[in-house]
Amino acid sequence: IHTDSCYSGEELICKKPEHRHSAECFPNITADLENASDWENMFKNVTITNDVSQNLISVASTQVGYAESSRNYEFDSYAKKKGYTRYGEWYGNPYGDWSAMFVSFCLNYADVEDSDLLQNSGAEAMRLQWTEEGLFEEAAFHTPEKGELVFLDTDADLSADTVGIVKDYT
């Protein structure tokens, strides 16, 4: 509920909508934090081989079950709750949309050659980057294979909203 500190004279200066505070209003910014040694421990059973696609799938498979934090979060400029992720922490944007950062994280830990040139924090930016490098093909002209990336346009605006790694295709 707005208090006196939300007003300057009669003018409401607080940009938050009126609401009753709940536990959701108070993030724990120390919850679920991770660092490079935490991540590297996850990969101790992953054997990196000459098969780049399998390496990428193996690294990605170690992430099954991981979810962004529900206790450590912030709100973006649209008042959308954004949870902390290890992928964002690794990339330097701990509360950002994480699909492209997840893929970048996997490319890095799968030891994909020149993966630093292929990484990005946004799905559309990554798609454009891969297009520029000659690595992107439209779905109509390509059958996906294991270990490839798939860019999805979930809102039909002709730009990638999310990106993932193909584990299997039938």
Side-chain angles (χ1 to χ4, degrees):
I1 296 175
H2 291 294
T3 63
D4 290 341
S5 64
C6 296
Y7 293 90
S8 175
E10 294 293 315
E11 181 185 354
L12 179 65
I13 58 172
C14 178
K15 302 299 181 203
K16 295 182 181 178
E18 184 125 357
H19 66 282
R20 292 200 180 274
H21 288 293
S22 65
E24 185 156 306
C25 297
F26 304 101
N28 177 352
I29 61 170
T30 62
D32 304 321
L33 297 178
E34 297 180 349
N35 60 44
S37 64
D38 296 321
W39 309 323
E40 289 160 8
N41 282 335
M42 292 182 288
F43 307 124
K44 62 185 171 199
N45 295 326
V46 173
T47 302
I48 300 299
T49 67
N50 291 331
D51 186 341
V52 174
S53 295
Q54 188 55 50
N55 294 344
L56 191 55
I57 292 169
S58 295
V59 168
S61 294
T62 68
Q63 304 304 296
V64 172
Y66 178 77
E68 66 184 54
S69 179
S70 61
R71 301 179 305 149
N72 181 353
Y73 55 86
E74 61 182 33
F75 290 93
D76 67 12
S77 59
Y78 302 103
K80 183 178 178 190
K81 185 177 171 182
K82 309 295 272 182
Y84 168 94
T85 66
R86 64 175 58 129
Y87 318 119
E89 180 71 36
W90 171 83
Y91 198 87
N93 183 6
Y95 302 98
D97 290 330
W98 56 266
S99 73
M101 292 186 284
F102 160 74
V103 169
S104 295
F105 178 90
C106 292
L107 288 166
N108 177 72
Y109 282 103
D111 286 339
V112 172
E113 189 176 326
D114 295 326
S115 70
D116 56 326
L117 303 175
L118 305 173
Q119 298 168 9
N120 209 298
S121 63
E124 177 62 4
M126 181 179 266
R127 187 191 70 79
L128 292 171
Q129 186 176 356
W130 283 59
T131 299
E132 208 172 277
E133 294 292 325
L135 300 171
F136 176 81
E137 290 184 55
E138 293 289 337
F141 307 108
H142 185 77
T143 301
E145 295 182 26
K146 290 181 179 185
E148 291 184 334
L149 304 191
V150 59
F151 294 89
L152 303 173
D153 176 6
T154 59
D155 58 8
D157 67 353
L158 303 178
S159 67
D161 300 302
T162 191
V163 58
I165 300 167
V166 176
K167 181 178 179 185
D168 202 4
Y169 177 81
T170 56

